[in-house]
Amino acid sequence: MGRVSENERDFKAQSYFRLLRYARPYWLRLTIGILAGMTVGGSLFVSLLMIPQLVGVVDPAGAGSAVETKAAPSRLTGEILRALEKPGLTEAEKAAAIEAVVNPQEEDPQLAKILRQAQETAERYHLPYRVEGGEIQVYWPVNFSFEAVGADGRVAWQIFAIYVLIFVLAWVVKNAATYINHYCTRWVGAKVVADLREEIFRKLVNQSMRFFGNMDVGHLISRCTNDTSAIENSVSNSIADFTSAPIQIIACFAAVLVACQKYNSYSLMVILLIGVPLVVLPIHILGRRIRKVYKKSFARIAEVFSRMHEVFTGIRVVKAYNTEAAEEERFNHVNRLYLRQVIRALRLQLLISPSMEVVAVAATLVFLVFSYSQGISVTQLAALLAPAFMAYQPIKDLSKVVASLQRSMAAADRYFNLIDTDTSLPEKPDAVELTNFRDRITLDKAEFSYDERKIIDGVSFEIPKGHMVAVVGETGSGKTTIANLIARFYDVTGGAVRIDGIDVRDYQLSSLRKMIGVVNQDAILFNDTIANNIAYGCPSATREEIIEAAKLANAHEFIVDGRHAQGYDTEVGEKGFKLSGGEKQRVAIARAILRNPPILILDEATSALDTVTEKLVQEALNRVMANRTVFAIAHRLSTIRNANCIIVLKNGKVAEAGTHAELLAKNGLYRRLHDTQFKMD
């Protein structure tokens, strides 16, 4: 049991890296997006470093350390007492001495630092201004100058405006980079998911018929649509935050480190070291549970798709038996089970943000209380708290990304589980191309089992080129299975099926299928025009060729006689719903005629038709069978009287074989089938 769990964990971990490999073809755009995300972090870092500068310009007196602020009252008292110790001072002189101590006429160190930095910046980047003394001279785009400090002792508004402009420019860069980051990464996400859909469709259509016999179509549709949509919603929308949020968080922490070092105050770092793990903890715990719950919810929604598919495809039966209410109840039950899983996942997902907010707010308030008790200045608070506040949103975005990615990984686990299933018929590396059918089809002691149940057992016969061989028998005797083995929809489990002496498993599958045309009992039409259904498999066919095939199939008349207003451009509806059974069958025969294969398989092509329509279809079949090798599965024995050989199957074995007359003369199983059918007729 432990080994299975370990394998499951390995598989889940691989899902992340397998998804990343799908982004490899789009590495350039993804790189641009990631670089833009790094630019977001860099511009945010510059903006955060500008905040204490802005506050320092407006409030230079508050830029000192807490120690200096606390020491100021005692220092001023001592200086005032020493100034008043001089004997013989008048009241006016005493007042002047106190004024000189309280308001010394000396250069403010913060202002001096600002002016020095401004001059260094101008020299380094060749900016169009210079600083001389307390005056700033600007010589482009127009010449003007202004005093750095006004008459009221405050920094000139022009300096403050310059800092604001730099801050705004940094913010513009941040948002432009955010746009590029989101666009590029979401574009890559959308392309990756489109590739996933194409791959799973390609994988499914190449699976074997045995696979489709074991799988529910509704579940497959859910895998192709719902699961990939879950990946798309998470990946394409979250990849942008996933590439930018961590960089923004790092930028904020770096700004905190710079501020802590500058002001020699590491209290916030201590609080962050305690708070960040507490913030990450709910993401880790709840994220794992979210993935499990969403995996169950995807299985439930597959059941919903399955119920809808079954009911809608069998709507005639539902209507005929008046079971709408019962089907409603069954669907509602399945839908409610899905809803419960979604609600469970929703509860867990919504717990992440509140948990983070509680921890973040608590940590911030603890720091504010500590700062207040230590008398930390406004400038220091701005330098320390601004990055912490700015980090909150990317941390929150990251939590949403984690929850969203867990949902997408649950879908990815199911997706890759299906992708890794391969039941396609194997093709040898040195497979032979079947370019021309020359001699005969041979079944040599062919056997086939399905789910440990033997369907055919040691069947042997030959179909020479140009001959028609028909097979009859009771339902379940293996007639359709033989047709599927000749066309290699399945592989034999014993014996062999050969064409021109070569095992069909040694041929290239595509070349084998080109040699064979199939007309099924249930004519399968696509929701397209009549013309396109006839030309299915022959996309280069001209309209004239399509019409000629329809004429040979006795289909042209009903197509153009007004019963279908658009003629050959009439949409046939879902599975040919707008056409009658005989019309669908003749369109299918026209499709086989247009393809013009040398080998033709007829699977009870006239069994569901009335007498008049059967005659029309049989005439069409007679034309299509001319000069072809035909294997016919017959339900109505009247359609195979002229067959070169009729094989009678019973319990998967050949019971009798011969012409129509020979089998009647034997007075065996074929004779009983014949007499029973004609008595019914």
Side-chain angles (χ1 to χ4, degrees):
M1 186 67 181
R3 185 176 181 84
V4 173
S5 300
E6 186 70 29
N7 289 338
E8 286 183 359
R9 283 197 296 271
D10 291 343
F11 181 73
K12 290 176 181 178
Q14 289 173 8
S15 296
Y16 290 102
F17 301 106
R18 291 182 72 173
L19 277 178
L20 288 177
R21 285 201 294 271
Y22 284 86
R24 190 177 298 166
Y26 316 113
W27 65 269
L28 179 59
R29 197 175 293 247
L30 184 60
T31 302
I32 294 173
I34 293 173
L35 291 176
M38 296 175 66
T39 304
V40 172
S43 58
L44 179 62
F45 180 69
V46 172
S47 302
L48 292 173
L49 293 183
M50 289 295 301
I51 290 176
Q53 300 290 342
L54 285 170
V55 176
V57 169
V58 177
D59 183 28
S65 68
V67 176
E68 292 173 341
T69 304
K70 291 171 64 178
S74 58
R75 178 180 59 80
L76 289 175
T77 302
E79 290 183 5
I80 290 172
L81 291 174
R82 283 193 296 273
L84 296 177
E85 285 177 353
K86 295 179 181 179
L89 293 175
T90 64
E91 293 298 325
E93 289 173 338
K94 290 179 179 180
I98 294 172
E99 177 67 20
V101 172
V102 175
N103 296 310
Q105 298 298 315
E106 61 184 23
E107 185 180 35
D108 191 306
Q110 181 68 11
L111 293 177
K113 180 180 178 182
I114 292 172
L115 294 176
R116 186 170 62 255
Q117 289 178 344
Q119 180 59 32
E120 291 174 354
T121 302
E123 293 174 353
R124 182 180 304 168
Y125 299 107
H126 307 287
L127 300 179
Y129 71 87
R130 61 176 176 271
V131 181
E132 293 184 355
E135 185 180 65
I136 298 178
Q137 296 179 350
V138 179
Y139 46 87
W140 189 88
V142 293
N143 288 318
F144 67 95
S145 62
F146 59 89
E147 294 292 332
V149 181
D152 56 359
R154 298 175 61 192
V155 175
W157 67 266
Q158 291 93 337
I159 294 179
F160 182 67
I162 292 172
Y163 275 91
V164 169
L165 179 62
I166 296 173
F167 185 86
V168 170
L169 289 175
W171 212 250
V172 168
V173 172
K174 172 184 176 297
N175 284 279
T178 299
Y179 171 80
I180 296 172
N181 169 259
H182 282 207
Y183 175 77
C184 290
T185 51
R186 290 188 182 185
W187 185 92
V188 171
K191 287 289 290 181
V192 164
V193 173
D195 292 345
L196 290 175
R197 282 202 183 97
E198 291 174 2
E199 181 182 30
I200 196 169
F201 184 81
R202 180 172 62 252
K203 187 75 174 182
L204 288 177
V205 296
N206 285 289
Q207 296 284 8
S208 68
M209 294 297 293
R210 186 187 294 268
F211 171 85
F212 288 100
N214 292 328
M215 289 294 294
D216 185 283
V217 175
H219 282 251
L220 294 179
I221 294 173
S222 177
R223 295 280 184 96
C224 292
T225 56
N226 195 63
D227 288 13
T228 52
S229 292
I231 297 173
E232 179 178 20
N233 292 337
S234 299
V235 174
S236 63
N237 294 328
S238 299
I239 193 171
D241 292 331
F242 192 72
T243 55
S244 63
I247 299 172
Q248 294 183 56
I249 295 170
I250 292 172
C252 293
F253 284 175
V256 170
L257 280 173
V258 171
C260 288
Q261 184 178 16
K262 180 178 180 180
Y263 299 113
N264 197 28
S265 176
Y266 295 94
S267 55
L268 181 59
M269 285 303 303
V270 174
I271 295 172
L272 287 175
L273 289 174
I274 297 173
V276 169
L278 293 177
V279 171
V280 174
L281 192 61
I283 297 178
H284 177 70
I285 295 174
L286 295 175
R288 295 177 63 183
R289 295 186 62 188
I290 286 171
R291 183 168 181 170
K292 292 179 181 178
V293 174
Y294 267 119
K295 201 166 185 180
K296 292 180 180 178
S297 75
F298 289 132
R300 294 296 185 189
I301 191 61
E303 292 291 338
V304 173
F305 272 79
S306 178
R307 286 305 313 150
M308 294 176 70
H309 178 265
E310 285 185 1
V311 171
F312 294 155
T313 54
I315 193 65
R316 287 181 182 271
V317 178
V318 173
K319 295 290 185 184
Y321 287 88
N322 193 33
T323 56
E324 291 92 340
E327 290 298 342
E328 241 182 88
E329 182 57 36
R330 291 179 65 186
F331 177 80
N332 290 346
H333 173 70
V334 174
N335 194 43
R336 283 192 291 267
L337 291 177
Y338 167 64
L339 178 62
R340 290 175 193 169
Q341 292 297 327
V342 171
I343 296 300
R344 284 186 62 194
L346 186 63
R347 284 201 302 263
L348 293 172
Q349 192 168 341
L350 293 178
L351 273 175
I352 293 180
S353 290
S355 302
M356 289 179 54
E357 287 187 14
V358 169
V359 174
V361 170
T364 302
L365 292 176
V366 168
F367 176 72
L368 285 176
V369 171
F370 176 80
S371 301
Y372 182 78
S373 67
Q374 298 298 310
I376 294 178
S377 68
V378 175
T379 303
Q380 292 181 30
L381 281 176
L384 293 170
L385 280 182
F389 282 123
M390 293 299 295
Y392 171 71
Q393 187 58 44
I395 290 176
K396 191 174 181 179
D397 290 341
L398 194 60
S399 72
K400 293 179 181 178
V401 168
V402 170
S404 186
L405 283 179
Q406 290 297 340
R407 180 173 183 268
S408 69
M409 288 304 106
D413 290 341
R414 286 165 47 85
Y415 174 89
F416 288 123
N417 185 41
L418 187 59
I419 283 292
D420 293 337
T421 302
D422 187 9
T423 65
S424 59
L425 295 174
E427 186 172 291
K428 295 182 178 180
D430 57 346
V432 179
E433 183 180 3
L434 180 58
T435 57
N436 185 31
F437 174 54
R438 298 182 302 274
D439 186 22
R440 65 188 62 239
I441 301 170
T442 306
L443 270 75
D444 183 10
K445 298 179 181 178
E447 296 180 1
F448 181 76
S449 299
Y450 195 87
D451 292 338
E452 300 182 356
R453 182 170 64 92
K454 187 164 284 189
I455 307 298
I456 62 169
D457 185 8
V459 173
S460 297
F461 63 85
E462 290 185 347
I463 311 175
K465 181 179 180 181
H467 282 219
M468 175 184 178
V469 172
V471 60
V472 299
E474 299 174 349
T475 301
S477 58
K479 303 186 296 295
T480 301
T481 300
I482 293 176
N484 290 334
L485 294 177
I486 293 174
R488 208 193 168 198
F489 294 145
Y490 296 94
D491 277 339
V492 294
T493 54
V497 178
R498 299 186 179 91
I499 296 179
D500 291 342
I502 299 176
D503 196 309
V504 293
R505 291 170 289 187
D506 295 332
Y507 283 118
Q508 292 178 4
L509 198 57
S510 59
S511 66
L512 173 66
R513 298 277 169 79
K514 287 179 181 178
M515 294 290 117
I516 299 173
V518 180
V519 180
N520 294 300
Q521 176 182 1
D522 298 321
I524 305 299
L525 301 185
F526 298 96
N527 191 10
D528 205 339
T529 64
I530 293 175
N532 288 343
N533 270 284
I534 294 174
Y536 188 78
C538 302
S540 60
T542 64
R543 180 54 65 95
E544 290 74 21
E545 291 171 335
I546 292 170
I547 293 173
E548 182 61 28
K551 288 178 178 178
L552 292 173
N554 283 340
H556 179 71
E557 183 178 351
F558 82 78
I559 295 173
V560 300
D561 66 1
R563 279 179 275 181
H564 303 288
Q566 303 300 319
Y568 281 89
D569 295 321
T570 299
E571 298 278 347
V572 302
E574 183 72 19
K575 296 185 178 180
F577 185 80
K578 296 179 182 179
L579 304 183
S580 69
E583 290 172 344
K584 288 194 292 185
Q585 200 65 273
R586 280 176 278 174
V587 170
I589 293 171
R591 178 194 296 163
I593 291 173
L594 183 62
R595 190 172 187 182
N596 194 29
I599 301 170
L600 187 64
I601 296 175
L602 305 177
D603 187 355
E604 302 189 12
T606 63
S607 63
L609 305 178
D610 59 79
T611 305
V612 175
T613 306
E614 179 187 357
K615 183 179 179 182
L616 292 171
V617 172
Q618 191 60 49
E619 289 177 358
L621 288 174
N622 291 336
R623 281 195 285 268
V624 76
M625 288 188 295
N627 302 318
R628 285 185 175 84
T629 304
V630 179
F631 177 76
I633 300 171
H635 176 71
R636 297 193 177 185
L637 303 184
S638 59
T639 62
I640 58 168
R641 288 181 176 179
N642 297 324
N644 300 99
C645 180
I646 300 173
I647 296 170
V648 183
L649 290 180
K650 184 175 183 180
N651 298 326
K653 297 183 178 181
V654 177
E656 298 174 344
T659 64
H660 175 72
E662 290 171 349
L663 291 175
L664 287 178
K666 287 183 179 180
N667 206 24
L669 180 58
Y670 181 82
R671 182 60 182 253
R672 291 197 297 273
L673 291 172
H674 178 273
D675 292 347
T676 300
Q677 188 173 116
F678 277 87
K679 282 179 183 178
M680 292 175 61
D681 291 342

